[in-house]
Amino acid sequence: MSVIPGVVAINTFREAVRDRVLYNLIFFALMMIGAAILVGQISIGIERMVIINLGLSAISIFGIIMAIFIGVGLVYKEMEKRTLYSLLSKPIRRWEFLVGKFAGLLLTLVVNTALMTLGLGAALYCVSRKFERADATILVAVYFILLELALVTALALFFSCFTSPMLSTLYTLGIYVAGVFAPGIQGISQFTSNWVLAVVTRFIYYLLPNFHNFGVIAEAAHGDAVPLALIWHNTVYAALYVLLILVASAAVFSGRNLK
Amino acid sequence: MLLALVAVPALFAICAALQMRIDVDTLAMNQDKEELLLRSGPLLQKLSLGYESLLADIYWTRVVQYYGVRAHKPGATYEQLWPLLDITTTLDPNLMIAYRFGAVFLSEQPPGGPGRADLAVQLVKRGIAENPDEWRLYQDLGFLYSIHLKDYKKASEAYLEGSKNPNAQIWMKVMAARVAETGNELETSRLIWTGVYSSTKDEQVRRTALQHIHSLDAMLGLRRLNESSEDYWRKFGRFPTSMQELRDAGLVGGTLQDPAGYPYVMGPNGVPQLDPKSPIQLESQQGSGTLR
């Protein structure tokens, strides 16, 4: 087993830390402290729910912003700075470089998400002075957010292999938004009487990465359990989809003329 | 590259199969929970950054999907139908389809809908307030009052109000008259039919209006005779057997004829009736013995 992807990943993580990417945690912490103080004053009986909704939504939004804006520059930046050429002149295969970049950004996001989850936990404890058994769903929601981030990162990396950061951002964001509204696309296929449209929308529904699968923030806020089958299926789905995108990325990147 | 050509479609196929399983998992979860995070139309209006019309279209699509998925499913609930329609019409107060079809969705009886005709009326009234020139909304309001709420007086008023719009079809007045007739508002109905008769140039409509006026006059005449017959019973302890007995008792006077010129006759149990040879056809039997 090659250690090269691991080395690239560690360096990608270090670079992100050096770029002060984790500074967003300060903003997150301030927001959670402010929310913890404010919700006690302005809401009755739903303080916990507000904190959970706000915290998980913030974790998701911050993560997606990071995944897209860092992800789209992962390969492009290396080419712009010409560091990619010296790197690829060493015995590193292109797919190893890509996997390393992906793992490095994912590691950054995992650390970032873990720290934000701790912040959410602290704010939750400040508001209600206890943790409940149902709060375990919050961890499931965080796990689903991580799966979502892994997919977004892979998408950003894929586009980063062949186009500019600006276009990569647009493409990734577009697919993300379409993926979030995937059930709406499926809805069209159910209600249209035009069979061609029904087939096309159904195909698009299954083709798109379905980000709606990972949305359990409402369940976490209400303390409802998430079925184990869903956790398992979502995990396999995200893993396979990430693999799919990485394979496609490797194919595109390997075929690219870097001269 | 060859590996990618094989692996990518294969992985897509597996992901699609997996998605079908996830759809089953999430279906049970979503059936239990009907979530609408933002319920405030005015707030969404502000958040839409000037794209409220587009957002209204999206919300209307959501309404259709929400209703379509649940309609006629046993045990289906429609808790979010009103909030969704409320948001849609707040975002775009001129989205006529949302008022008209929304009212239909709301008023349908379970399992076809939530059976909330009261909310449907509220929705249509809001539509009228925002779009006073849309006579069809009065038509919908009249329909809701007459069919779902059985409030024929209000239904007739709604049809009549809508008929005042210069673009309204003539049958709005006809509907107002018919509904008033159904609700036993015979005088109102006659008044509206008379209006139809005098305002239309269409021969067919005029003929129909005249038939209704004659029918209503006959019903009103029978109603008066019926009241006299009951007075007779109170006075003599039995019902009159002929019109002459009513005359002799001083309870009625003048010519007792229907609008076609045929005399009214006394039926069994003192129930006045039309002469069997009379060409007049009563729209309903409310003017005769069924009152008793």
Side-chain angles (χ1 to χ4, degrees):
Chain A
M1 179 96 185
S2 171
V3 291
I4 292 167
V7 175
V8 176
I10 295 293
N11 281 299
T12 306
F13 175 69
R14 280 184 186 150
E15 193 185 344
V17 174
R18 268 202 306 275
D19 287 346
R20 301 184 181 95
V21 163
L22 299 179
Y23 274 24
N24 75 93
L25 291 170
I26 297 170
F27 182 66
F28 179 80
L30 288 174
M31 194 183 75
M32 291 315 292
I33 291 166
I37 297 166
L38 267 178
V39 289
Q41 311 293 321
I42 60 170
S43 60
I44 303 164
I46 56 162
E47 295 89 348
R48 282 178 65 81
M49 207 188 287
V50 173
I51 288 287
I52 295 169
N53 272 326
L54 185 72
L56 288 174
S57 301
I59 291 172
S60 176
I61 292 167
F62 284 6
I64 285 162
I65 291 172
M66 279 176 65
I68 293 177
F69 285 95
I70 303 174
V72 295
L74 281 178
V75 176
Y76 190 83
K77 217 162 75 177
E78 297 283 354
M79 284 197 285
E80 277 283 293
K81 288 188 196 164
R82 303 204 171 267
T83 45
L84 182 68
Y85 302 100
S86 56
L87 209 62
L88 293 181
S89 62
K90 296 187 171 62
I92 298 176
R93 277 173 283 189
R94 291 189 186 189
W95 69 265
E96 288 177 327
F97 169 77
L98 280 183
V99 171
K101 281 285 177 189
F102 169 77
L105 180 53
L106 193 59
L107 179 63
T108 313
L109 292 168
V110 168
V111 171
N112 193 53
T113 305
L115 293 173
M116 283 199 275
T117 307
L118 285 177
L120 170 61
L124 204 56
Y125 189 77
C126 282
V127 166
S128 56
R129 301 279 163 200
K130 61 174 180 177
F131 286 113
E132 294 167 11
R133 195 182 170 82
D135 291 339
T137 316
I138 297 172
L139 295 178
V140 178
V142 171
Y143 174 63
F144 279 7
I145 289 171
L146 280 172
L147 295 180
E148 186 180 54
L149 295 181
L151 262 172
V152 174
T153 305
L155 276 172
L157 183 71
F158 172 69
F159 291 118
S160 166
C161 291
F162 61 87
T163 187
S164 68
M166 177 71 178
L167 288 176
S168 298
T169 306
L170 285 176
Y171 294 151
T172 311
L173 204 60
I175 290 182
Y176 174 73
V177 172
V180 168
F181 290 106
I185 297 170
Q186 191 196 28
I188 298 169
S189 72
Q190 286 172 342
F191 295 110
T192 182
S193 52
N194 183 335
W195 71 269
V196 178
L197 185 64
V199 169
V200 170
T201 48
R202 209 164 171 74
F203 178 72
I204 293 171
Y205 172 69
Y206 288 116
L207 186 73
L208 280 172
N210 195 323
F211 287 104
H212 191 261
N213 293 344
F214 307 111
V216 290
I217 291 178
E219 279 74 11
H222 289 104
D224 296 342
V226 175
L228 269 175
L230 183 64
I231 300 173
W232 165 241
H233 288 147
N234 269 350
T235 306
V236 180
Y237 178 83
L240 287 176
Y241 220 109
V242 165
L243 179 66
L244 183 161
I245 300 168
L246 288 181
V247 169
S249 306
V252 171
F253 192 50
S254 301
R256 191 162 172 188
N257 186 355
L258 294 172
K259 282 178 190 170
Chain B
M1 189 57 109
L2 188 66
L3 176 74
L5 283 174
V6 177
V8 170
L11 284 167
F12 262 128
I14 298 169
C15 285
L18 205 53
Q19 183 58 48
M20 289 176 196
R21 298 288 298 272
I22 293 170
D23 286 343
V24 175
D25 296 336
T26 50
L27 188 68
M29 280 171 66
N30 293 338
Q31 266 177 352
D32 297 341
K33 196 175 269 82
E34 291 184 359
E35 280 281 321
L36 193 60
L37 291 177
L38 289 172
R39 281 170 170 266
S40 165
L43 175 66
L44 270 166
Q45 208 166 20
K46 288 183 184 76
L47 291 176
S48 66
L49 304 172
Y51 296 102
E52 56 261 33
S53 185
L54 174 67
L55 206 58
D57 296 345
I58 293 169
Y59 265 92
W60 172 242
T61 311
R62 268 191 82 182
V63 170
V64 174
Q65 292 189 349
Y66 180 87
Y67 178 77
V69 165
R70 285 162 181 77
H72 299 291
K73 272 194 181 162
T77 57
Y78 298 86
E79 283 164 27
Q80 304 301 342
L81 188 57
W82 168 249
L84 281 168
L85 283 164
D86 181 28
I87 290 172
T88 307
T89 51
T90 306
L91 286 169
D92 186 354
N94 305 117
L95 193 63
M96 213 48 58
I97 195 168
Y99 296 114
R100 303 202 67 206
F101 282 85
V104 173
F105 296 164
L106 281 168
S107 59
E108 278 291 304
Q109 288 301 314
R116 295 296 306 269
D118 55 329
L119 288 177
V121 166
Q122 199 179 322
L123 182 72
V124 175
K125 278 186 173 173
R126 184 195 287 186
I128 290 171
E130 295 287 348
N131 309 276
D133 292 337
E134 289 290 341
W135 64 271
R136 284 199 176 272
L137 288 173
Y138 287 99
Q139 177 201 347
D140 297 335
L141 190 60
F143 179 83
L144 288 168
Y145 274 130
S146 62
I147 302 297
H148 291 288
L149 298 172
K150 310 289 179 204
D151 189 337
Y152 301 108
K153 190 168 183 292
K154 283 188 176 168
S156 176
E157 285 167 7
Y159 282 121
L160 197 61
E161 192 60 34
S163 73
K164 290 175 188 166
N165 186 312
N167 297 322
Q169 296 287 322
I170 184 70
W171 51 258
M172 282 291 281
K173 264 188 191 161
V174 174
M175 283 305 293
R178 271 181 183 271
V179 168
E181 212 169 302
T182 313
N184 211 16
E185 298 283 336
L186 302 183
E187 285 86 357
T188 313
S189 181
R190 191 188 187 287
L191 209 67
I192 299 166
W193 277 119
T194 309
V196 174
Y197 181 78
S198 55
S199 62
T200 184
K201 290 188 175 84
D202 188 306
E203 260 317 300
Q204 178 64 39
V205 176
R206 274 172 74 88
R207 246 197 322 272
T208 310
L210 194 62
Q211 277 171 9
H212 278 276
I213 291 166
H214 284 168
S215 167
L216 285 163
D217 282 344
M219 284 163 79
L220 285 165
L222 286 170
R223 184 194 272 181
R224 276 192 295 274
L225 285 172
N226 198 49
E227 283 163 9
S228 301
S229 180
E230 284 180 347
D231 287 344
Y232 188 95
W233 182 82
R234 275 190 285 275
K235 204 168 173 180
F236 299 101
R238 65 175 180 87
F239 286 112
T241 53
S242 66
M243 288 295 166
Q244 192 56 44
E245 282 190 342
L246 278 180
R247 263 201 206 91
D248 293 344
L251 292 170
V252 292
T255 52
L256 299 176
Q257 290 178 343
D258 66 25
Y262 288 84
Y264 293 112
V265 293
M266 191 58 74
N269 298 321
V271 179
Q273 291 171 348
L274 289 177
D275 189 302
K277 283 178 268 176
S278 174
I280 289 178
Q281 288 185 335
L282 299 180
E283 286 298 317
S284 67
Q285 294 302 307
Q286 284 155 353
S288 69
T290 51
L291 285 173
R292 200 176 293 156

